[in-house]
């Protein structure tokens, strides 16, 4: 089942408020497969109750596509089975690594250099061959850039093109990185290939200082990030977009208000495009 519209990340602590009937105001949901694959019994039945009602995507945490450790092939096959079991079409992950002779329990930046980029491309191709579908990679937040022979943008564009994978555009990560690493977020946004963007994320972050933002998913989305999302729609078209909230989770009604705001921005941009298209058609006629 494909995703569209405005979505919300599903967390197990939300289930009592969500079931038996998922709210119609959420168009799609997202889960981290690692948090559900080992689950049987009640939790497995609850997830099946959810995926039978609505479209879902997945956002993984431990593929570690940038690591020098061997890919975990049995794990990737488990992901494939999970996607098939729940009729989920999209498997997204982070353009980062989280292992090095063992799991590191963090999402760490891949060096922005050609050697690392080629390494990642080869690993993406293996993953895609096993999954028999494109891998969707997210632009990640990062705070140090080791061996930066390429810019973040050059690195990302190289990987998207050479691996033929797809992109999950995290608008908050783009905003956070633009502040922390002092580049223009709109210039970065405009340089992305529209045809690669299959869906997006939006979230809140923590202001450590004026020039240091920490991606936390623990607060409401701020106005500059909402504005950047609207710019993304105007440049690349309206893509499905999901609200992430991982802790300090407020009552469901507050989350649904933010999901509603995604929808309102999507609708506004769509309406403006329809008006513009009709005006152009009128001129042509």
């Amino acid at each position: 089942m494909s995703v569209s519209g405005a979505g919300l990340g599903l967390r197990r602590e939300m289930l009592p408020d969500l079931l038996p009937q998922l709210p119609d105001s959420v168009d799609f949901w997202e889960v981290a497969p690692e948090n559900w694959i080992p689950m049987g019994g009640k939790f497995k039945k609850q997830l099946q109750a959810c995926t039978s009602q609505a479209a879902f995507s997945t956002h993984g945490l431990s593929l570690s596509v940038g690591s020098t450790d061997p890919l975990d092939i049995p794990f990737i096959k488990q992901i494939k089975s999970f996607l098939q079991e729940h009729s989920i079409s999209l498997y997204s992950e982070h353009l980062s690594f989280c292992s090095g002779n063992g799991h590191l329990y963090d999402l760490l930046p891949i060096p922005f250099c050609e050697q690392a980029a080629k390494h990642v491309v080869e690993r993406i191709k293996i993953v895609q061959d096993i999954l028999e579908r494109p891998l969707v990679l997210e632009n990640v937040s990062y705070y140090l850039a080791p061996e930066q022979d390429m810019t973040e943008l050059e690195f990302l564009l190289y990987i998207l093109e050479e691996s033929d994978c797809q992109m999950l555009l995290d608008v908050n990560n783009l905003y956070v990185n633009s502040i922390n690493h002092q580049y223009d977020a709109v210039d970065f946004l405009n340089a992305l290939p529209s045809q690669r963007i299959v869906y997006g994320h939006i979230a809140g972050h923590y202001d450590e200082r004026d020039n240091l933002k920490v991606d936390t998913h623990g607060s409401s989305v701020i106005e500059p990030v909402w504005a950047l999302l609207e710019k993304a729609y105007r440049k690349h078209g309206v893509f499905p977009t999901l609200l992430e909230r991982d802790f300090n989770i407020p009552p469901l009604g507050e989350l649904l208000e933010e999901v509603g705001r995604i929808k309102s921005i999507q609708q506004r941009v769509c309406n403006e495009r329809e008006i513009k298209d009709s005006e152009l058609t009128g001129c042509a006629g």
Side-chain angles (χ1 to χ4, degrees):
M1 191 182 301
S2 60
V3 302
S4 62
L8 179 62
L10 181 72
R11 306 295 178 257
R12 283 202 293 269
E13 54 266 47
M14 297 177 183
L15 289 173
D17 293 328
L18 295 175
L19 292 173
Q21 185 65 45
L22 296 178
D24 293 337
S25 55
V26 179
D27 298 313
F28 72 100
W29 303 81
E30 181 187 81
V31 291
E34 296 91 331
N35 292 339
W36 297 91
I37 286 173
M39 294 293 173
K42 179 183 75 172
F43 286 123
K44 183 173 183 178
K45 290 178 181 178
Q46 287 178 321
L47 179 61
Q48 289 171 336
C50 292
T51 58
S52 67
Q53 294 181 48
F56 269 71
S57 63
T58 55
H59 193 45
L61 301 168
S62 53
L63 179 63
S64 201
V65 74
S67 177
T68 56
D69 286 352
L71 284 166
D72 188 341
I73 303 300
F75 167 71
I76 298 169
K77 291 180 178 179
Q78 282 186 311
I79 294 291
K80 182 178 182 180
S81 296
F82 181 85
L83 298 175
Q84 292 172 336
E85 179 182 359
H86 295 282
S87 301
I88 298 172
S89 61
L90 295 177
Y91 173 52
S92 68
E93 249 286 357
H94 301 81
L95 185 54
S96 63
F97 72 98
C98 59
S99 62
N101 296 319
H103 200 80
L104 301 175
Y105 299 99
D106 205 352
L107 298 171
L108 301 172
I110 304 167
F112 298 153
C113 64
E114 186 175 356
Q115 182 181 5
K118 290 180 177 179
H119 172 71
V120 171
V121 165
E122 290 307 309
R123 287 164 70 89
I124 291 170
K125 290 178 179 179
I126 294 170
V127 173
Q128 293 181 148
D129 284 346
I130 296 171
L131 294 178
E132 298 183 285
R133 70 188 74 201
L135 179 60
V136 184
L137 284 176
E138 178 189 64
N139 57 302
V140 298
S141 58
Y142 63 100
Y143 306 94
L144 294 172
E147 298 184 36
Q148 192 169 359
D149 299 330
M150 307 165 74
T151 66
E152 177 191 353
L153 179 61
E154 290 169 340
F155 184 76
L156 175 60
L157 293 178
Y158 179 93
I159 286 171
L160 291 173
E161 180 63 28
E162 295 300 318
S163 70
D164 199 27
C165 70
Q166 297 175 329
M167 182 178 180
L168 163 55
L169 173 56
D170 191 305
V171 177
N172 183 66
N173 287 351
L174 173 54
Y175 175 82
V176 164
N177 288 348
S178 72
I179 300 295
N180 293 344
H181 303 289
Q182 300 179 342
Y183 62 73
D184 189 297
V186 176
D187 287 347
F188 189 110
L189 182 69
N190 290 341
L192 295 175
S194 300
Q195 72 277 11
R196 297 284 180 186
I197 301 171
V198 293
Y199 79 113
H201 277 172
I202 193 166
H205 60 264
Y206 176 71
D207 291 332
E208 182 74 30
R209 296 192 301 272
D210 287 345
N211 62 349
L212 178 58
K213 314 298 180 184
V214 182
D215 180 41
T216 61
H217 304 173
S219 59
S220 299
V221 181
I222 66 169
E223 291 302 322
V225 176
W226 286 119
L228 191 59
L229 177 65
E230 187 161 344
K231 287 184 173 69
Y233 291 157
R234 295 186 190 283
K235 175 63 180 178
H236 299 293
V238 174
F239 47 82
T241 304
L242 180 130
L243 174 70
E244 289 187 293
R245 190 67 178 261
D246 291 335
F247 75 101
N248 290 334
I249 297 177
L252 180 61
E254 292 183 27
L255 295 175
L256 295 182
E257 285 181 9
E258 288 197 291
V259 172
R261 186 160 182 186
I262 296 172
K263 287 190 173 188
S264 67
I265 297 171
Q266 290 175 331
Q267 190 61 57
R268 180 165 63 249
V269 174
C270 285
N271 289 344
E272 290 174 0
R273 288 197 168 204
E274 288 176 3
I275 291 171
K276 184 177 180 180
D277 289 346
S278 65
E279 289 174 346
L280 290 173
T281 302
C283 290

